[in-house]
Every structure is written in C-alpha cells, then in structure tokens.
Amino acid sequence: MSLRPTVDFLLNDWLGVEALNQRERFADHSRETFDAVLDTCERIAREKYAPFNRTVDTQEPHFDGERVVLPQATHDAHQAYAESGMLSAAQDYRLGGMQLPYTVEAAANAFFAMASVSIGSGMLTVGNANLLMAHGSEAQRRVFALNEFAGRWSGTMCLSEPQAGSSLSDVATRAVPDGEGFMDDPLGPRFRLKGNKMWISAGEHELTENIVHLVLAKIPGPDGKLPPGVKGISLFVVPKKLVDASAQLTGERNDVALAGLNHKCGWRGTTNTLLNFGEGKFPVRGAAGAIGYLVGQPGEGLRCMFHMMNEARIGVGMAATMLGMAGYHASLDYAKNRPQGRPVGPEGKDPSRPQSRIIEHADVKRMLLAQKSYCEGALALELYCARLVDEQHTGAPEAADEARLLLEVLTPIAKSWPSEWCLEANSLAIQVHGGYGYTRDFPVEQYWRDNRLNMIHEGTHGIQAMDLLGRKVLMENGRGLQLLAQRVNATIQRAIHTPELAAHANALGQALAQVGAATKAAWATANPAEALANAVPYLQAFGHTVLAWIWLDVALAALAAPDSPARTGRLGAMRFFFHYELPKTGAWLAVVSRRDPTCAELPEEAF
Ligand SMILES: Cc1cc2nc3c(=O)[nH]c(=O)nc-3n(C[C@H](O)[C@H](O)[C@H](O)COP(=O)(O)OP(=O)(O)OC[C@H]3O[C@@H](n4cnc5c(N)ncnc54)[C@H](O)[C@@H]3O)c2cc1C
C-alpha cells in the first residue's frame, strides 16, 4: 500500500496546489516539478530510510569516550537527503534553493517521517537556518545558515535546561561580553556562555563537519543578576567548532561539551543530549566559556525563536501524523492476511468453515477506520496549515494577514491533535496485531514509542492547550477565531446542499457553536485560573471540531472525483469521524463551560 495516492489527492484535488505557480515566486514550477520532488523523496525514503528504521532503534547512539557513534545507515541517509537539495528547497534560486512552496516541501518530507522518523530529515537544521535568515546578520546568514542549507553543517535548538522546560522564563544560562572589542567581531557581538542545556536533539554526532547551536541565554544586568522573565532572554549562535568570517574552521574547539546522552523510549535514531556550555572542558583562547554571537537584539531571543515555531510545530504534527500512518498501513496489511475466528451468526458456528481474515470483523474494521480517519485527516490538516504558510509568505497583503492569524489559532491544533490521536492510532495498530503487535517482531510497537514523544516536545500538550485558550482565541479581539469560524461556515454552506453531507454539515455547525459558547463561558469570570483549569479538554474539543471541518471539506473534493475504492474509503473515514468522534466534543466542552473545578480544587493530600 502506498501513501502517494493520498498525498496526490490532497495536494491536487483538494488543495489545488498547482495554482501556486501563478505566483511570481513559484512561476517556474508546475505539476511536473512538484511530482518530480515527491518522486525523489519517496524513492530516497524507500531506499535509504525505511529499511533501517529498526536498525536505528536497536543500535542506539553511544559515546565511545571521544565521539558519538551512529549506525552507518544514518550517515548514508543524511548524505542522500542533503544531496537531494531538500535542505534548501524553499530558498531563493540565488541561494541555491528551488523556490519550492512550503506545502510541497512538507508533503515531500512526509515520506521520510513515515519511513523512519528518527533518522530525521533536517527539520532542526532547516528551522535553525530559517531563523538565522530572518533574524541573523548578513555574516551570520552567509556563514551559518547557508552552510546548513548546503548540508555541510547541522543545527540544533537549545532552549530547555534541567530546571527550565515548559517555563523558559527560568532559563539560567549566562552570556557575558567577551572582553574589549566584543562588539566588533565580524560574526556578531561576541559573548561567553555558561550553563547546561538539557534534551538537545542532535546536540552531538559526527554526521556533519560542524554543529550550529542556537542557544537561549540571559545577559546579566549591571548588578550581575540575570534579568527576570522571558523579556530577559537573548539568542546566540554557538558553533561546536569555531569558524572565521569566511566559514572556514579555525581549528579551535568551542567550549561545548557532551555531558551525556539521554536513553529514550523511542526516536532513537536521533541523539538527545545534555550539553555543558562554558564549563572549561575545551577552553577557548585560554579561558572557560563557550563563544556565542548575539542574534538580533538583546532580550529578543524568545521572539526570534518563535519566528520558526509555526513551521516547527507543523513539522512535529506531520511527524506524529506519519507515524500514525505507518502503523495504519502496517495493521491494514496484517488484518488482510491474518485468519482468525468466524463470522458472527449461524454460519460462523460451523467449525469446518475456514476462518475469516480479521479485516472481516466489524471491530477490526472499526480500529482500522479510526486510524484512517485520524491519520488521513491529520495529514490533510497539516497540508492545509502548510498552504497557509505559503499564503502568509506569498499571498496578497490581506490574504497573507488572514493566513498569519489563522495559523496562530491552528498551530496548537496542528501540533497537538496528531500527537494525541495519531498516537492513539498507533495503539490501535498494536491492538489489530493482537499479541504480535506487542512484540518487536512487528514494527507497530516502535511506531508507538517513537510517537510518544510528540505530546511532550515543542511545548507539551498542556502548554499548547493553555496557549490556545489563554492566548490564541483571545488575540486581536478574537479575530482569529472569527476567521476560522468563517472558513468552517463556508464549508458548511457548500456541504449543506449535498444530500450525503447535509446532516454532517449541521452537526459541524452545532459543534462550532458549542466551541464558541464554551470559549465565552470559560472566560465568563475573567479569571485565568478558572478558565484554563480545563484547557486540555478545550484543546481536544477544538481539535475534533477542526478535524470534522477538514474531513467535511475533503469529502466535498472526494465527491467531485469519479467513483473508486479510494473515494469510498475517504467518505467512510469522514462518516466515521462524524459518527464516532465528533460527538465526544460535548463531554469535553461541558467541563470547560462549567469551569469544572474537580481537578483544580482537589487538595494535594487527597491524591
Ligand atoms: C526526546 C526529546 C527531545 C527534545 N528536544 C529538544 C530540543 O532539541 N531542544 C530543546 O530545547 N528542548 C528539547 N526537548 C525538551 C522539551 O521541549 C521539554 O521536555 C518540554 O518542553 C517539557 O519540559 P520538561 O521536560 O522540563 O517538563 P516540565 O516542564 O517539567 O513539565 C512536566 C509536566 O508538567 C506540565 N506543566 C508544566 N508547567 C505547567 C503549567 N504552568 N501549567 C500546567 N501544566 C504544566 C507539563 O505539561 C508536563 O505534563 C526535548 C525533549 C525530549 C523528551
């Protein structure tokens, strides 16, 4: 079974992505060039990633005392990915890029996430380089970003610290000016950093010649104290090996040391590290302290980091989606081949009758259809959000602004919804396999372990929920929520006149009204502690409503296509979502609307 027909349908029949080539930036592109990119990525993923997914799980990265060792397959996959040009696919021609729409880039990267999410396809490196393109100086862009796009160096994001995960305002890494003349360094104002960064993905390896760390740190005030809160956070580019202004290695090692590798539940193909900055293991010019160059203005670090958050969070949502999809495809294949049991009813009582294949049982079909509705729905959502990113960057001013605001509201869903529901899909994929699914002889347990990360990193589920209800639906006087409601209503209006969809259109209209009412009820007392006590059920209900909208819109495109098994499947998955999933929103929104204090008020000693 291939993912490609689903991707092609969503990109072409549903999103009409080819129309983007009417824009100046994408004028050289066509359906053929988009297809060629997808073909290449599909092939590399099939040849260099999929066969090694189990290898990278069982041969965990290890430190041999000098360097971190990864399987050869990881090196080969990275090389093939870099050579494909995908790291710079979205960049200008003048920078060696392809000026590819982000929608197509995201779709192409989906093949790698499905084949082996943890071998990785440069998400951090591209995010790091994009940030430098937006906020770095000319020299930082030329020296660091361009070499990352070229695949010569790779990138990290160093936000978290052992004592500062969700609460980044408590970051304690210090950055002090590096002597006299620190402002005159060609690579930017030069500082010395000291501190510990925890959980840093791809923080140490030998896959590339150098590693470019982007590090959040605070510059102490005249009293020597670190400024409080997020406004005191600045951003620094800290290379593992020092380089000069012409991007040549100087031969000096920067004072960034691997303190240890974290041994993870899944996603083991990517190293995860505790890094010590500036502890003197690799003194630079005779002194402890990692050399870092300020990016942007002091105190603007988190704002710069957030520049890349939308795309990073779509990337996380896409990874979660494709892990779910991998489990769906594996369990569908298994269900078609596993004989077990006989039909319900008199004919099934005859033991001489051959056994049914488990796909013939209604409950197995339920588990398969749930996976299909979660994963193909999530893929549609991610591609829709990616299309909004293209609109934000290349649309007419009003449309670009709408896309920006819609993305603000939809990004917590794009990140969190697949993290929760495509993980649930992975659990169902194990269930479809029965006991075999619980062994390492089948791939589905690894997909679940790999996917379990996605509710945790890039802002936990709880933090995303508070961002949605506490900030996003309120911002600009609720204009983002109104814009989303307009789009949902436009789909409802198109569907209401279609006999197969009219009842679902009505159900969606009701769910949307309930989300709006619950938003108001949550904030009725204007007390954040009351409003946000049930932020996660709100996120779940909001997400399910968004997914119901996406499915209804996809169903309109499916109905316009000729009859085929794929069309029947899409409409079946849509119906599943409306019949089995959307009704759940009522229970979630009830506790939100009541500002239910059951959890918030239970005293600690009562647990
Ligand atoms: C495999 C992996 C890779 C990672 N990669 C990177 C990386 O490359 N770079 C990087 O900087 N970080 C990375 N992280 C760190 C990740 O972003 C953090 O783990 C995450 O932000 C949560 O922080 P924490 O682990 O300290 O948990 P905590 O912040 O301690 O949270 C623990 C629990 O408490 C909840 N909680 C915390 N605060 C609140 C609150 N105010 N209200 C309600 N609930 C709250 C959380 O939702 C969570 O359920 C990675 C983590 C992992 C596991």
Side-chain angles (χ1 to χ4, degrees):
M1 185 176 178
S2 163
L3 169 70
R4 186 60 182 275
T6 305
V7 169
D8 284 344
F9 168 79
L10 292 174
L11 283 181
N12 301 309
D13 300 17
W14 181 52
L15 286 175
V17 80
E18 200 182 339
L20 280 171
N21 63 22
Q22 284 155 19
R23 299 189 176 172
E24 200 186 328
R25 180 168 182 79
F26 307 126
D28 293 342
H29 283 290
S30 62
R31 172 83 191 252
E32 284 68 36
T33 62
F34 293 162
D35 281 351
V37 171
L38 296 175
D39 290 345
T40 304
C41 291
E42 199 181 357
R43 180 182 50 75
I44 299 174
R46 186 175 58 244
E47 293 173 359
K48 300 282 183 187
Y49 281 67
F52 307 105
N53 194 40
R54 185 58 90 177
T55 310
V56 299
D57 186 57
T58 50
Q59 295 178 27
E60 260 189 277
H62 68 273
F63 185 55
D64 70 3
E66 221 172 284
R67 53 192 61 202
V68 169
V69 181
L70 288 163
Q72 183 58 38
T74 309
H75 292 261
D76 298 344
H78 269 256
Q79 194 183 340
Y81 188 82
E83 283 171 1
S84 75
M86 283 300 288
L87 287 165
S88 60
Q91 299 305 310
D92 295 358
Y93 295 133
R94 68 185 169 86
L95 300 176
M98 302 181 214
Q99 297 197 182
L100 192 68
Y102 178 63
T103 315
V104 180
E105 185 189 356
N109 279 329
F111 292 107
F112 299 102
M114 188 164 167
S116 181
V117 77
S118 76
I119 288 181
S121 57
M123 188 174 89
L124 279 165
T125 298
V126 172
N128 175 309
N130 280 343
L131 186 153
L132 288 170
M133 292 305 284
H135 299 289
S137 64
E138 184 280 325
Q140 290 169 348
R141 291 199 294 267
R142 179 172 42 77
V143 171
F144 297 111
L146 294 193
N147 281 297
E148 291 185 79
F149 288 134
R152 182 181 165 205
W153 301 342
S154 59
T156 72
M157 298 285 167
C158 303
L159 292 78
S160 308
E161 298 180 0
Q163 82 299 340
S166 301
S167 180
L168 288 173
S169 57
D170 293 299
V171 156
T173 298
R174 301 169 79 88
V176 296
D178 184 33
E180 278 182 26
F182 78 100
M183 286 298 288
D184 304 328
D185 198 294
L187 292 175
R190 196 182 59 243
F191 286 72
R192 290 273 184 160
L193 276 71
K194 287 191 182 175
N196 313 106
K197 289 288 175 182
M198 182 55 167
W199 302 120
I200 305 311
S201 295
E204 182 60 77
H205 56 74
E206 305 288 326
L207 294 169
T208 48
E209 179 191 57
N210 202 357
I211 302 177
V212 180
H213 302 291
L214 281 177
V215 184
L216 292 183
K218 290 185 172 181
I219 303 169
D223 59 359
K225 291 192 181 142
L226 296 181
V230 289
K231 295 215 168 73
I233 299 176
S234 304
L235 180 65
F236 300 85
V237 58
V238 183
K240 170 180 157 182
K241 297 174 186 168
L242 292 171
V243 300
D244 63 21
S246 59
Q248 296 309 310
L249 302 187
T250 63
E252 298 161 291
R253 171 81 201 242
N254 203 357
D255 195 7
V256 183
L258 176 73
L261 290 171
N262 293 312
H263 300 288
K264 293 178 285 178
C265 162
W267 210 299
R268 293 181 179 160
T270 306
T271 58
N272 190 272
T273 56
L274 171 59
L275 296 179
N276 289 343
F277 288 82
E279 291 202 335
K281 179 150 188 206
F282 302 105
V284 183
R285 291 154 213 165
I291 300 283
Y293 307 96
L294 181 69
V295 178
Q297 295 301 313
E300 303 254 294
L302 211 54
R303 195 181 68 78
C304 295
M305 256 326 175
F306 269 96
H307 170 91
M308 51 139 311
M309 284 299 177
N310 281 345
E311 286 172 49
R313 288 180 174 165
I314 294 171
V316 170
M318 186 64 102
T321 301
M322 299 323 295
L323 280 163
M325 195 78 84
Y328 167 52
H329 284 203
S331 61
L332 178 58
D333 188 46
Y334 184 83
K336 285 179 178 171
N337 290 299
R338 166 78 173 165
Q340 198 68 198
R342 294 179 175 76
V344 175
E347 46 179 335
K349 299 258 184 318
D350 175 5
S352 65
R353 189 195 146 107
Q355 295 199 79
S356 309
R357 290 165 307 120
I358 61 171
I359 195 169
E360 295 172 58
H361 300 310
D363 189 55
V364 174
K365 285 187 175 175
R366 173 189 65 78
M367 292 191 279
L368 292 170
L369 206 45
Q371 292 179 64
K372 183 176 170 71
S373 80
Y374 297 153
C375 301
E376 293 184 5
L379 178 59
L381 171 69
E382 300 305 325
L383 293 176
Y384 186 89
C385 288
R387 179 67 185 77
L388 287 176
V389 171
D390 280 324
E391 197 61 31
Q392 185 185 2
H393 293 158
T394 62
E398 201 180 318
D401 190 56
E402 274 195 11
R404 171 194 63 81
L405 199 51
L406 274 167
L407 273 171
E408 292 280 10
V409 177
L410 283 175
T411 303
I413 305 298
K415 191 268 169 184
S416 297
W417 198 88
S419 303
E420 180 169 4
W421 297 98
C422 298
L423 178 70
E424 175 59 17
N426 286 141
S427 178
L428 289 169
I430 295 173
Q431 194 70 17
V432 168
H433 281 73
Y436 298 93
Y438 196 63
T439 70
R440 275 172 282 166
D441 299 329
F442 287 82
V444 284
E445 59 83 34
Q446 186 188 342
Y447 297 142
W448 186 90
R449 284 188 289 107
D450 286 350
N451 216 350
R452 191 60 191 83
L453 172 62
N454 288 314
M455 284 175 79
I456 298 171
H457 68 162
E458 283 288 342
T460 64
H461 221 50
I463 296 299
Q464 297 293 334
M466 290 198 290
D467 183 43
L468 178 69
L469 181 54
R471 213 165 70 80
K472 297 298 180 61
V473 297
L474 306 179
M475 66 193 291
E476 301 185 25
N477 292 321
R479 199 163 70 85
L481 187 56
Q482 286 160 17
L483 269 178
L484 178 64
Q486 280 168 19
R487 297 225 172 172
V488 175
N489 279 321
T491 302
I492 290 174
Q493 286 315 312
R494 287 167 57 220
I496 207 121
H497 304 296
T498 307
E500 297 95 320
L501 303 180
H504 304 321
N506 278 322
L508 177 58
Q510 280 169 20
L512 182 66
Q514 283 168 3
V515 168
T519 312
K520 285 205 184 89
W523 285 105
T525 55
N527 179 348
E530 287 184 15
L532 300 180
N534 295 295
V536 165
Y538 180 83
L539 176 84
Q540 290 171 308
F542 199 108
H544 261 50
T545 305
V546 166
L547 262 289
W549 161 54
I550 292 285
W551 264 122
L552 194 65
D553 212 72
V554 167
L556 282 161
L559 281 172
D563 199 10
S564 70
R567 177 184 188 264
T568 308
R570 284 184 191 113
L571 294 174
M574 179 274 301
R575 279 199 303 280
F576 178 91
F577 203 82
F578 275 92
H579 292 165
Y580 289 72
E581 294 294 330
L582 189 62
K584 292 178 181 170
T585 55
W588 287 320
L589 290 175
V591 292
V592 177
S593 300
R594 286 201 298 274
R595 298 183 300 285
D596 193 302
T598 306
C599 305
E601 288 185 355
L602 195 71
E604 202 173 315
E605 55 278 14
F607 279 92

